[in-house]
């Protein structure tokens, strides 16, 4: 808590207070958030939520992860109503993820409770029937459930991104828009698992939660593929840098320093997340053309001959050729963000020449 900026602290207290107020209101109005006969449903959905929440998928955004546990909250919207959905979301506070700070537990539980309660109210407002659905009337649930999901998911993302922005000063414009759009659509799609749990409950009761675990974990795996792919890009580029520095030990660490400095400058002048990442890659790859220069030339102690100096001068063009042949995949850096201009760093201020 002490490490949070004061706007983030105020926001955290506000979110926790709102969640507590919603649950207290439910107790005052109805006497109990969940009917006694529905306690078994609450327990099963809370366990399903806890299992999924305890094994999230890390994202590229620093210290940020996502899980498909919200499907259990959406199932609770149908089976036990808004107050029950809020209680299911609160189980995020007791996640068994190791090393998760108390502040994050409190925020996660509170924001999931708010999202579940709000989605439940939308579901009821559209005449969605709360309780184990009748097989013959299942079609009547689809419209209200879709609306509830369409409210839950954006609200969940908005609450989370607001906290990230206040705690880390990451602006919304710095987040990749295309990636966020794809993430939002995927998130909405995974919300259908909640409807699946509710529909199966009418025939197999609590076993439905077990049956849906397999597709939920497949969804979790799919969430993690982009992050795993990004790590493989970084590892490949780091290996190329290591190969360059092995050949030219005099400039060891140069690529990393250029990458770090250029990305810091890009962030400082307000470039977007994707552009900053492309510049970071460009800094790491700007000397990759040295792989085509003989090692004895790079490590020569004495003066270079004209042929050797020409080989040194050609390394930016070789690097540009390598990058042109090995384009960034679509789900990494976009082609219009790829770094094709590294040779220009060797030009003199008036244009011609090079070193």
């Amino acid at each position: 808590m002490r490490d949070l900026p004061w706007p983030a602290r105020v926001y955290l207290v506000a979110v926790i207070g709102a969640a507590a107020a919603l649950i207290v209101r439910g107790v005052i109005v109805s006497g109990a958030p969940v009917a006694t006969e529905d306690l078994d449903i609450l327990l099963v959905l809370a366990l399903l939520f806890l299992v999924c929440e305890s094994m999230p998928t890390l994202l590229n955004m620093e210290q940020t992860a996502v899980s498909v546990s919200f499907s259990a909250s959406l199932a609770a919207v149908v089976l036990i109503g808004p107050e029950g959905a809020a209680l299911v979301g609160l189980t995020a506070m007791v996640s068994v993820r190791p090393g998760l700070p108390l502040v994050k537990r409190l925020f996660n539980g509170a924001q999931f409770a708010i999202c579940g309660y709000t989605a439940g109210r939308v579901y009821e407002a559209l005449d969605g029937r709360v309780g184990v659905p009748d097989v013959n009337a299942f079609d009547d649930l689809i419209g209200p459930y879709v609306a509830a999901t369409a409210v839950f998911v954006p609200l969940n993302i908005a609450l989370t991104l607001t906290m990230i922005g206040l705690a880390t000063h990451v602006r919304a414009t710095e987040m990749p828009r295309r990636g966020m759009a794809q993430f939002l659509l995927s998130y909405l799609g995974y919300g259908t698992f909640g409807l699946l749990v509710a529909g199966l409950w009418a025939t197999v009761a609590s076993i439905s939660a077990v049956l849906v675990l397999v597709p939920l974990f497949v969804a979790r795996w799919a969430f993690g593929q982009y992050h795993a792919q990004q790590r493989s890009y970084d590892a490949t580029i780091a290996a190329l840098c290591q190969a360059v520095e092995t050949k030219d030990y005099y400039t060891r660490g140069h690529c990393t320093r250029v990458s770090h400095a250029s990305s810091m400058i890009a962030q400082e002048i307000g470039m977007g997340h994707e552009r900053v990442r492309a510049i970071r890659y460009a800094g790491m790859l700007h000397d990759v053309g040295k792989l085509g220069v003989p090692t004895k030339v790079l490590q020569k102690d004495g003066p270079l001959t004209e042929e050797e100096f020409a080989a040194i001068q050609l390394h930016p063009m070789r690097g540009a050729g390598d990058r042109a042949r090995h384009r960034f995949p679509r789900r990494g850096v976009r082609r219009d963000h790829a770094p094709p201009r590294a040779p220009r760093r060797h030009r003199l201020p008036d244009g011609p020449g090079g070193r």
Side-chain angles (χ1 to χ4, degrees), residues 10-276:
V10 173
Y11 179 70
L12 174 64
V13 172
V15 171
I16 295 174
L22 292 176
I23 295 174
V24 170
R25 178 185 178 277
V27 172
I28 294 174
V29 172
S30 59
V34 178
T36 304
E37 60 269 19
D38 292 333
L39 289 178
D40 58 334
I41 299 177
L42 174 63
L43 179 60
V44 171
L45 292 180
L47 288 174
L48 176 62
F49 185 98
L50 186 60
V51 169
C52 296
E53 182 66 15
S54 299
M55 292 181 289
T57 297
L58 295 176
L59 298 179
N60 291 326
M61 197 179 303
E62 184 178 0
Q63 296 183 337
T64 306
V66 65
S67 75
V68 290
S69 55
F70 69 99
S71 299
S73 291
L74 289 171
V77 166
V78 176
L79 296 172
I80 50 180
E83 291 80 9
L87 291 177
V88 169
L90 279 178
T91 57
M93 293 184 180
V94 293
S95 170
V96 297
R97 288 171 56 191
L100 188 65
L102 178 61
V103 170
K104 290 187 177 181
R105 293 175 184 272
L106 293 174
F107 175 77
N108 289 340
Q111 63 95 3
F112 272 123
I114 292 172
C115 293
Y117 184 88
T118 305
R121 287 302 177 195
V122 171
Y123 177 80
E124 288 184 332
L126 295 176
D127 298 325
R129 178 181 174 274
V130 175
V132 178
D134 186 353
V135 176
N136 298 325
F138 187 77
D139 292 346
D140 298 334
L141 304 179
I142 296 177
Y145 181 85
V146 170
T149 304
V151 170
F152 185 104
V153 172
L155 180 59
N156 171 240
I157 293 175
L159 289 172
T160 303
L161 291 184
T162 301
M163 173 56 87
I164 292 173
L166 293 174
T168 64
H169 305 294
V170 175
R171 299 187 298 269
T173 54
E174 296 178 9
M175 300 175 187
R177 295 180 182 178
R178 178 179 296 183
M180 283 301 299
Q182 292 174 346
F183 172 73
L184 178 59
L185 291 175
S186 299
Y187 214 45
L188 287 168
Y190 294 138
T192 59
F193 287 117
L195 186 60
L196 177 62
V197 172
L200 289 173
W201 203 283
T203 55
V204 294
S206 58
I207 300 177
S208 63
V210 178
L211 294 177
V212 84
L213 275 176
V214 173
L216 277 176
F217 282 116
V218 170
R220 174 188 178 274
W221 172 83
F223 262 133
Q225 289 311 291
Y226 178 75
H227 182 65
Q229 189 180 47
Q230 192 62 52
R231 284 184 296 178
S232 69
Y233 298 158
D234 293 343
T236 300
I237 292 174
L240 287 172
C241 290
Q242 184 65 36
V244 171
E245 293 176 352
T246 299
K247 293 194 67 170
D248 188 12
Y249 53 80
Y250 177 75
T251 59
R252 184 164 296 173
H254 169 67
C255 293
T256 302
R257 290 191 294 270
V258 169
S259 175
H260 183 62
S262 57
S263 60
M264 287 179 61
I265 293 171
Q267 289 176 337
E268 187 66 25
I269 63 179
M271 287 187 174
H273 178 82
E274 289 186 355
R275 192 64 179 171
V276 171

Side-chain angles (χ1 to χ4, degrees), residues 257-324:
R257 290 191 294 270
V258 169
S259 175
H260 183 62
S262 57
S263 60
M264 287 179 61
I265 293 171
Q267 289 176 337
E268 187 66 25
I269 63 179
M271 287 187 174
H273 178 82
E274 289 186 355
R275 192 64 179 171
V276 171
R277 188 173 63 189
I279 289 173
R280 177 168 61 87
Y281 286 157
M284 296 181 73
L285 292 173
H286 76 278
D287 264 347
V288 73
K290 286 184 178 179
L291 293 175
V293 179
T295 304
K296 64 179 181 180
V297 174
L298 291 174
Q299 298 183 3
K300 185 175 181 179
D301 292 331
L304 301 176
T305 65
E306 290 187 5
E307 292 78 8
E308 292 170 338
F309 187 67
I312 293 288
Q313 286 182 309
L314 284 175
H315 88 265
M317 298 306 299
R318 289 195 178 98
D322 290 340
R323 286 185 293 274

